[in-house]
Amino acid sequence: MVLIRRFEERTEEQYTRARIGGYCHLAIGEEAATVGAVDPLGDHDYLFASYRDHGTALAVGSDPGAVMAELFGKAAGVAGGYGGSMHLLDVERRFLGGWGIVGGQLPIAAGAALALDYTGSDGAVLCQFGDGATNTGAFHEALNLAAVWNLPIIFQITNNLYGMGTSVAMASGETELWKRAAAYEMHGERVDGNDVLAVHEATTRLLTMARRDRRPSLLETCTYRWRGHSVADAGKVYRSADEIAEWRTRDPIARFEHQAIEAGTLDVGDVSELRREVDATVTEAIKFAAAAATPTVANLYDNVYGDPGTAAQFARMDTAGPFGERRETRGWRT
Ligand SMILES: Cc1ncc(C[n+]2csc(CCOP(=O)(O)OP(=O)(O)O)c2C)c(N)n1
Ligand SMILES: [Mg+2]
């Protein structure tokens, strides 16, 4: 959680230095909802996330340097520099993305769960998404399929109370989002998403339900994003300063730090040492990303088309004209 927090703070700073292009969504304040759910995953389980995915990649163990390099659009990034902030990926760790379309990952995650079932794997799928995604058709289609096919999947709503600038109260007929599971006779529950131990306990239990009992579930983790929706939004127009201040008093990291010190698992010295290590790791990640090479245009269509013939066709493409080969375009006009 400390790594995610520091990584996000430094990412914000790097964005303002124009080292990161495109969209950039920070998850400061949501660390416990991410870590508490990702940590219980085992060697055969798969993970999906929304575009607010930096913390998810770090939680699954992706190299911070490769994650930062992806944000910088560099070839050494986790998606070769092709994906950027919203499309982080670590297939080796079974993290199948970062998805930019709201709700887009849900049917794909259900498909992955079907594949696990079909191949007789004992793995399960954890699919994370925002409260806004629960009002898309894909949410209902995916939950319905998961229910009728008994798929081994946990649908995790990271309820941070807002879509871009629209509150859950304004957008949802039922604001207790976990109750939507009832429409599919699926197990649903809500936990405090700023309590890492509560999220961990619920996810561990629901993973067992998915793997052993072949029962899908809907887990709502309630949290708050401290920053705006993206770096282009200050996040202060549609919510009050009091609300933001109130949620900041429920800092998930400070809370766990307190719990761990009380329990004698950590002492104050351990915490400062951890923070020092994390600072160094993130500084190193930025240095690595800044020095890394950019991808070449010639490789732009690698990994896009399965047919090697298509890739060869694009390799011959005139870079000045986006659609079609130079030879063909000239022939067209005469
Ligand atoms: C299908 C679709 N519609 C609209 C958008 C634009 N959009 C990007 S993020 C977002 C809000 C989503 O909110 P939520 O699911 O709560 O996730 P959060 O940003 O809070 O993590 C919207 C509407 C999109 N990316 N995809
Ligand atoms: Mg939201």
Side-chain angles (χ1 to χ4, degrees):
M1 290 197 288
V2 171
L3 173 64
I4 296 172
R5 174 72 55 91
R6 194 70 192 125
F7 187 95
E8 295 287 58
E9 288 167 349
R10 299 291 314 269
T11 293
E12 188 173 35
E13 169 203 298
Q14 297 301 304
Y15 193 91
T16 60
R17 294 184 59 188
R19 285 173 142 181
I20 298 171
Y23 290 102
C24 188
H25 308 82
L26 304 172
I28 296 176
E30 301 183 6
E31 295 88 352
T34 304
V35 172
V38 172
D39 192 64
L41 294 177
D43 288 345
H44 300 152
D45 300 326
Y46 284 80
L47 174 62
F48 290 80
S50 74
Y51 45 81
R52 201 177 295 286
D53 59 350
H54 310 167
T56 308
L58 295 172
V60 86
S62 299
D63 172 50
V67 177
M68 191 60 85
E70 190 59 42
L71 306 192
F72 279 42
K74 300 296 184 73
V78 289
Y82 300 117
S85 160
M86 300 199 286
H87 305 109
L88 301 178
L89 180 75
D90 195 332
V91 176
E92 205 182 304
R93 292 183 174 79
R94 298 165 309 287
F95 171 39
L96 302 189
W99 294 81
I101 302 296
V102 172
Q105 70 273 34
L106 278 88
I108 298 166
L114 175 63
L116 290 176
D117 202 50
Y118 194 74
T119 56
S121 163
D122 61 356
V125 174
L126 173 71
C127 179
Q128 302 180 321
F129 50 91
D131 44 277
T134 66
N135 292 322
T136 67
F139 170 84
H140 300 284
E141 294 176 30
L143 265 73
N144 189 55
L145 271 185
V148 295
W149 287 344
N150 299 314
L151 300 181
I153 184 166
I154 302 174
F155 294 101
Q156 183 195 356
I157 309 169
T158 302
N159 183 353
N160 58 14
L161 293 181
Y162 295 90
M164 294 177 80
T166 310
S167 67
V168 170
M170 284 173 74
S172 296
E174 171 56 74
T175 54
E176 291 194 42
L177 302 176
W178 66 275
K179 289 184 177 171
R180 292 186 171 196
Y184 311 101
E185 292 199 350
M186 187 187 282
H187 173 85
E189 69 181 82
R190 175 183 253 192
V191 296
D192 180 344
N194 281 3
D195 180 348
V196 71
L197 298 178
V199 178
H200 195 281
E201 184 281 321
T203 312
T204 305
R205 187 164 34 75
L206 298 182
L207 274 172
T208 302
M209 190 191 277
R211 295 188 193 116
R212 192 189 61 199
D213 311 333
R214 320 311 289 173
R215 281 179 62 206
S217 59
L218 180 64
L219 174 64
E220 180 183 7
T221 47
C222 299
T223 182
Y224 198 76
R225 63 166 157 72
W226 291 11
R227 297 293 195 270
H229 168 72
S230 73
V231 284
D233 164 37
K236 292 178 179 158
V237 175
Y238 49 85
R239 49 188 202 172
S240 69
D242 285 351
E243 181 183 294
I244 299 170
E246 154 69 14
W247 276 95
R248 286 180 78 116
T249 66
R250 304 185 207 171
D251 180 353
I253 298 179
R255 180 165 171 178
F256 181 64
E257 189 179 319
H258 181 73
Q259 282 171 324
I261 290 172
E262 283 276 289
T265 322
L266 290 177
D267 64 33
V268 178
D270 295 330
V271 176
S272 350
E273 177 56 25
L274 179 74
R275 289 189 187 278
R276 259 194 305 279
E277 277 173 26
V278 160
D279 272 354
T281 302
V282 179
T283 299
E284 207 45 53
I286 293 169
K287 275 193 200 145
F288 172 78
T294 49
T296 60
V297 174
N299 296 340
L300 192 59
Y301 293 96
D302 285 3
N303 311 313
V304 174
Y305 296 99
D307 175 3
T310 317
Q313 181 187 355
F314 277 105
R316 290 197 305 276
M317 206 171 86
D318 177 6
T319 49
F323 303 111
E325 297 172 65
R326 186 194 304 249
R327 204 156 26 91
E328 284 177 1
T329 313
R330 282 183 185 164
W332 209 280
R333 290 285 173 202
T334 53

